[in-house]
């Protein structure tokens, strides 16, 4: 709450009232001010009629923002009236709204506060000149999510809309965010979220739970990590992703050109991990054997992901956020009717899948 609630408010009510005299503007006591009030609203009663009326307008303290000349009061307007349309009029009573390290450019534009607030009152709470998302849309058109064809993020268009994540005035975070990106995202994604549209019920996993796992994917643990893989408003890809990634556990595969559907992962990882001919550096998920005196490497990433008609998506084995087993390997994943288990054991020279889609198998690296 603003500081005027204390001492300043008293000051406003008792002394900060101006009234006209032949010599100019002087401060007078409350009794004279009351008469002045009546004279404004006699001709301008509509300024007190809104559903939500701003305190100084309700109190008839019109002259905190307006300076009339006598001709206006005697003969009426237009003319003979000075109006302070800047933020300094507001700062007589309110704390500075541009105090954060990032200030909304709107506050620096002509009209400042009154672009969004009606100084007298309005039919919208906080005296907004328009309902929230229309207000933001006025200058941010289209609203970011509307431009997205692949997925949209519900909080952008719900009742609280942009204010779910942004401060309309200023903030100490980039992009006017109300907190650091990770804290912001986990503020809602610390539980499973279920939504219903018609008959379709969709549920979105609890991500906080994944980040509490023993093995967290490095980018997901960083403060703005969520934003390297997700677009906050909407995206041309599913799940608000910033680059392509298969939507399902299995995808039609069989050719090398399919690699580009994992573009998301390969913005950071080397796509050589899916190649037929690999060096020891390309992937650790391989089985090496000696044939005719030379080491032959069987690329198990390629085997699972590319070399089959129904390619397995990375997230069958790895969770992009965090998981219980080494190499961020899932311990189970969900299919339509059952939940296969994955039990992995690391070995110095490879690993073993004790439980998975097949009987136990191990792989070994020779160098
Ligand atoms: C005798 C009637 C009358 C009184 C008293 C009066 N006004 Fe006006 N005012 C008018 C008329 C008429 C207009 C022109 C039509 C309109 O804009 O509503 C006007 C216009 C205005 C305008 C917009 C035009 C401009 O010149 O900026 C403001 C602001 C305004 N009045 C403020 C006030 C304030 C504040 C008071 C009290 C200190 C006041 N008026 C008292 C009749 C009056
Ligand atoms: C917090 C500051 C503030 C207070 C208090 C205030 N006004 Fe205003 N008023 C403004 C500003 C700023 C404008 C100019 C709006 C614009 O240009 O869009 C304005 C515009 C007006 C106008 C002309 C435009 C219109 O909206 O009709 C009238 C008339 C008016 N005020 C009357 C009043 C009266 C009467 C009171 C007291 C009951 C009052 N105002 C209290 C800031 C204030
Ligand atoms: C004369 C002192 C004064 C001036 C000048 C003033 N305000 Fe206010 N404003 C108040 C008071 C008092 C409240 C009521 C605070 C409350 O009840 O929380 C208020 C409430 C508000 C609220 C709603 C706050 C809430 O939490 O519901 C907004 C928004 C607002 N003012 C914006 C403005 C803007 C924009 C200006 C400048 C155009 C301005 N005010 C100028 C005294 C003033
Ligand atoms: C881009 C539009 C926009 C501009 C410009 C703007 N505001 Fe606001 N303001 C809002 C919105 C939206 C809310 C509602 C916030 C909420 O409900 O949490 C708000 C809320 C407020 C509140 C009440 C809640 C709070 O933050 O204490 C005050 C007071 C206020 N604004 C004052 C101002 C002042 C003073 C200025 C000019 C320096 C200003 N605003 C400029 C959009 C704006
Ligand atoms: C009067 C015009 C106007 C209105 C209304 C407006 N904005 Fe802005 N906003 C701007 C301008 C200009 C910029 C700076 C240029 C840009 O990034 O597009 C900006 C930038 C932003 C930014 C990026 C800030 C940064 O530093 O990266 C955010 C976030 C934002 N606005 C949110 C909002 C929200 C939320 C609302 C509604 C409460 C809103 N805006 C209403 C004009 C406006
Ligand atoms: C779920 C949280 C969330 C909601 C809701 C949200 N934003 Fe954002 N917005 C962000 C984040 C996070 C960023 C920073 C993006 C970045 O840095 O890559 C951002 C950035 C922005 C920017 C800066 C330019 C850009 O697109 O990167 C603007 C402008 C903006 N948002 C406007 C809005 C408007 C207008 C609304 C309401 C229609 C809105 N946002 C709703 C989270 C949100
Ligand atoms: C105010 C609450 C809220 C905040 C803050 C929030 N989300 Fe969401 N998010 C939701 C809800 C509700 C859904 C489910 C509805 C939907 O799909 O949009 C969702 C869904 C998602 C989805 C799945 C989208 C899909 O198409 O299935 C992703 C990904 C996501 N959020 C990421 C983020 C990221 C990243 C952030 C931080 C920038 C964030 N969320 C912040 C409420 C929130
Ligand atoms: C390395 C990329 C990456 C990072 C970093 C990342 N995500 Fe994701 N996220 C994904 C992928 C890929 C999916 C879709 C596949 C899946 O869920 O397995 C996804 C799905 C989601 C979903 C939807 C889950 C569902 O059940 O539909 C939410 C919510 C989400 N992420 C939130 C976040 C949040 C919050 C952060 C930051 C803490 C974050 N993500 C960081 C890649 C990432
Ligand atoms: C923003 C960059 C970035 C993106 C995008 C990214 N990763 Fe990572 N990933 C890293 C970093 C950094 C590490 C930790 C260092 C390392 O092991 O390479 C890592 C580690 C991993 C590991 C663990 C390696 C180990 O042996 O412990 C796996 C598995 C992994 N990522 C899978 C994925 C998958 C699947 C995707 C796509 C959904 C993806 N990554 C997208 C940056 C990224
Ligand atoms: C069948 C399960 C499975 C699938 C599907 C899978 N991985 Fe792996 N991945 C593993 C195993 C097991 C390891 C650990 C290898 C080791 O022993 O070091 C691994 C290791 C990794 C590493 C660490 C570096 C390396 O190559 O050893 C990255 C990065 C990685 N995977 C990314 C991906 C990406 C991206 C995809 C999808 C294109 C994917 N994985 C698909 C099982 C899988």
């Amino acid at each position: 709450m603003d500081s005027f609630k204390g001492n300043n408010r008293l000051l406003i009510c008792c002394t900060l009232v101006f009234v006209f005299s032949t010599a100019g503007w002087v401060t007078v006591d409350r009794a004279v001010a009351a008469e002045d009030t009546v004279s404004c609203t006699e001709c301008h009663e509509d300024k007190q009629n809104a559903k939500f009326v701003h305190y100084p307008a309700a109190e008839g303290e019109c002259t905190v923002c307006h300076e009339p000349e006598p001709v206006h009061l005697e003969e009426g307007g237009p003319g003979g009236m000075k109006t302070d349309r800047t933020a300094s009029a507001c700062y007589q009573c309110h704390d500075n709204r541009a105090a954060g390290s990032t200030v909304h450019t709107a506050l620096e534009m002509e009209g400042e506060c009154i672009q969004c607030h009606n100084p007298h009152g309005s039919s919208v709470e906080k005296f907004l000149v328009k309902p929230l998302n229309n207000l933001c849309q006025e200058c941010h058109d289209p609203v970011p999510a509307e431009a997205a064809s692949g997925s949209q993020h519900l909080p952008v268009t719900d009742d609280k809309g942009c204010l779910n994540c942004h401060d309309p005035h200023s903030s100490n975070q980039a992009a006017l965010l109300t907190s650091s990106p990770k804290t912001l995202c986990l503020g809602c994604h610390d539980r499973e979220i279920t939504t219903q549209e018609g008959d379709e019920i969709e549920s979105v996993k609890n991500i906080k739970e994944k980040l509490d796992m023993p093995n967290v994917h490095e980018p997901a643990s960083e403060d703005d990590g969520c934003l390297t893989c997700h677009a906050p408003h909407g995206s041309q890809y599913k799940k608000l992703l910033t680059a392509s990634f298969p939507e399902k556990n299995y995808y039609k595969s069989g050719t090398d050109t399919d690699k580009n559907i994992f573009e998301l992962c390969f913005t950071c990882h080397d796509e050589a991990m899916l190649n037929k001919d690999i060096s020891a550096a390309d992937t650790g998920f391989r089985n090496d054997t000696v044939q005719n005196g030379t080491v032959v490497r069987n690329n198990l990433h390629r085997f699972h992901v590319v070399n089959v008609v129904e390619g397995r998506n990375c997230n069958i084995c790895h969770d992009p956020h965090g998981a219980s087993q080494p190499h961020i390997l899932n311990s189970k994943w969900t299919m339509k009717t059952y939940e296969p288990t994955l039990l992995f054991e690391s070995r110095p020279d490879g690993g073993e899948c004790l439980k998975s889609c097949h009987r136990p198998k191990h792989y070994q690296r020779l160098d």
Side-chain angles (χ1 to χ4, degrees):
M1 198 47 61
D2 290 359
S3 56
F4 64 74
K5 274 267 173 178
N7 294 342
N8 290 1
R9 186 169 192 165
L10 213 68
L11 181 84
I12 292 150
C13 297
C14 304
T15 62
L16 194 74
V17 178
F18 299 94
V19 89
F20 181 76
S21 83
T22 42
W25 290 94
V26 292
T27 314
V28 294
D29 66 35
R30 185 76 189 146
V32 186
E35 269 171 44
D36 174 42
T37 295
V38 173
S39 64
C40 295
T41 47
E42 252 168 28
C43 301
H44 295 293
E45 56 160 10
D46 63 314
K47 294 289 166 281
Q48 296 175 320
N49 290 349
K51 182 170 174 207
F52 301 100
V53 184
H54 189 202
Y55 170 87
E59 293 292 304
E61 288 179 13
C62 315
T63 51
V64 290
C65 305
H66 297 289
E67 263 188 53
E69 286 169 22
V71 59
H72 191 106
L73 296 177
E74 285 153 16
E75 295 165 25
M81 182 65 59
K82 269 195 247 160
T83 297
D84 188 349
R85 302 175 76 251
T86 69
S88 53
C90 315
Y91 293 155
Q92 295 175 87
C93 304
H94 293 283
D95 290 339
N96 191 346
R97 284 294 181 288
S101 57
T102 316
V103 176
H104 194 189
T105 309
L107 265 70
E108 286 152 2
M109 289 161 71
E110 164 79 32
E112 296 168 87
C113 321
I114 59 170
Q115 296 173 103
C116 297
H117 297 285
N118 186 314
H120 310 115
S122 92
S123 57
V124 186
E125 269 183 271
K126 316 282 177 192
F127 325 124
L128 296 178
V129 296
K130 287 198 170 82
L132 198 56
N133 278 354
N134 298 345
L135 177 72
C136 307
Q137 197 165 10
E138 187 85 346
C139 301
H140 299 284
D141 183 32
V143 169
E146 284 172 358
S149 53
S151 51
Q152 303 193 338
H153 203 191
L154 197 64
V156 176
T157 45
D158 73 10
D159 285 348
K160 211 179 160 201
C162 319
L163 299 187
N164 276 308
C165 302
H166 295 289
D167 189 292
H169 308 120
S170 75
S171 130
N172 288 324
Q173 301 290 332
L176 301 171
L177 296 178
T178 50
S179 62
S180 80
K182 195 169 133 193
T183 310
L184 181 70
C185 306
L186 296 180
C188 292
H189 293 290
D190 60 349
R191 66 204 99 123
E192 189 177 310
I193 301 176
T194 318
T195 51
Q196 185 165 10
E197 215 178 66
D199 285 345
E200 232 177 280
I201 296 174
E202 293 214 18
S203 91
V204 165
K205 286 184 297 217
N206 177 341
I207 302 298
K208 167 99 181 0
E209 194 178 79
K210 303 277 179 194
L211 299 185
D212 291 338
M213 297 270 187
N215 300 287
V216 177
H217 194 200
E218 198 172 298
S221 69
E222 280 157 14
D223 226 19
D224 55 0
C226 315
L227 299 178
T228 59
C229 296
H230 296 287
H233 307 121
S235 163
Q236 65 178 115
Y237 304 106
K238 293 289 170 192
K239 304 281 176 197
L240 306 172
L241 292 171
T242 50
S244 87
F245 186 76
E247 202 185 318
K248 305 228 162 72
N249 285 158
Y250 292 88
Y251 73 102
K252 277 263 171 287
S253 117
T255 63
D256 276 340
T257 53
D258 283 326
K259 276 194 260 180
N260 59 15
I261 68 174
F262 300 107
E263 189 190 345
L264 179 72
C265 310
F266 296 145
T267 51
C268 298
H269 297 288
D270 192 344
E271 64 174 59
M273 74 161 65
L274 293 185
N275 284 352
K276 189 161 186 283
D277 300 314
I278 46 165
S279 71
D282 292 334
T283 181
F285 191 27
R286 62 178 202 270
N287 193 32
D288 295 345
T289 47
V290 180
Q291 291 173 20
N292 302 331
T294 50
V295 176
V296 174
R297 305 183 201 283
N298 183 13
N299 182 347
L300 296 175
H301 265 132
R302 183 183 172 84
F303 172 83
H304 286 91
V305 178
V306 184
N307 266 10
V308 272
V309 181
E310 291 268 272
R312 284 131 200 138
N313 193 357
C314 322
N315 65 344
I316 280 193
C317 297
H318 305 288
D319 190 290
H321 309 101
S324 55
Q325 306 193 76
H327 314 289
I328 45 172
L329 289 166
N330 290 318
S331 51
K332 61 175 167 48
W333 67 94
T334 311
M335 296 187 68
K336 270 221 165 76
T337 46
Y338 76 123
E339 279 193 340
T341 320
L342 195 150
L343 194 54
F344 175 81
E345 205 171 270
S346 232
R347 291 182 176 182
D349 66 343
E352 180 162 14
C353 292
L354 296 163
K355 241 179 153 216
S356 64
C357 298
H358 42 70
R359 64 188 165 74
K361 276 180 192 275
H362 78 272
Y363 58 92
Q364 64 172 353
R365 295 178 293 257
L366 294 177
D367 48 16

